[in-house]
Amino acid sequence: MELPPDTVLVFDRDEDLLAFESSGHATNWIEAIDVDEGEYTAAYSPAGGVLALTAPDGPEGAVVLAGTGRVDLGDLERRVAAYWRRHQAGLPPRDPIQTARFLIDRDGRPRRGWFGRAVGLLRRDRGGGRVARSYGGEGAA
C-alpha cells in the first residue's frame, strides 16, 4: 500500500503512536483539550518533517497541524524504535514509512473524528455492552 502524501505520525506522552492518512483526519480526530494539556509530544511526516500541533483557541477550539519547515528524521526514527520496543514487543521494528503503513493497515480505515466517536458510543451493542464501530463501511448504519 502506498502511503497517502499527507500522512501524519503523532506521538503521545506514553510513547504510543497514532498514524493518520491526512492532516485533516488528524485534526478531526485529535481533541483540542488534549493538545492544550500536552498529551501529544511530537508530530511528523513519514519523511521526518516536523509538524506543529496546536490548539490556538484553547481546549474548546480547533486543532491546527502545520509544517514547521524543519526536518528531524533522527528523532522520528528514535521515537518509532521506542514505539516498537514498548508497544509491539515480539515484532521486528520497522522504519517510519513501514510503521505508518502497518498502523494504517492494522486500523483498516482512517481514524474517526470526535463526532464519529460520539456516534459510535451511542451505538452500543445491546448484547454485551460493547461499543459498535461504525466506519461507514459494511455494517454501518
Side-chain angles (χ1 to χ4, degrees):
M1 166 194 127
E2 283 295 315
L3 279 181
D6 197 20
T7 299
V8 175
L9 299 167
V10 178
F11 295 88
D12 69 14
R13 57 182 156 205
D14 294 326
E15 296 180 356
D16 201 1
L17 172 57
L18 305 171
F20 299 94
E21 292 188 15
S22 72
S23 58
H25 285 107
T27 58
N28 186 35
W29 193 85
I30 293 172
E31 296 180 5
I33 191 167
D34 292 332
V35 173
D36 196 57
E37 292 178 353
E39 175 64 26
Y40 302 103
T41 58
Y44 294 92
S45 73
V50 178
L51 305 172
L53 187 61
T54 61
D57 296 325
E60 300 299 321
V63 172
V64 176
L65 186 64
T68 65
R70 294 187 358 238
V71 175
D72 193 345
L73 186 56
D75 188 54
L76 173 60
E77 289 173 338
R78 181 189 61 75
R79 289 174 182 271
V80 166
Y83 163 79
W84 282 95
R85 281 191 306 275
R86 183 168 183 167
H87 297 286
Q88 297 295 335
L91 293 177
R94 300 176 185 172
D95 69 29
I97 292 172
Q98 292 169 329
T99 299
R101 278 191 203 120
F102 167 79
L103 292 172
I104 290 170
D105 287 348
R106 182 193 69 184
D107 293 344
R109 292 185 180 87
R111 294 181 178 274
R112 297 174 296 158
W114 69 267
F115 182 76
R117 292 195 317 271
V119 169
L121 289 172
L122 294 173
R123 292 182 178 157
R124 294 192 182 270
D125 177 14
R126 297 179 198 270
R130 294 175 47 193
V131 175
R133 296 182 185 257
S134 173
Y135 294 100
E138 188 174 305

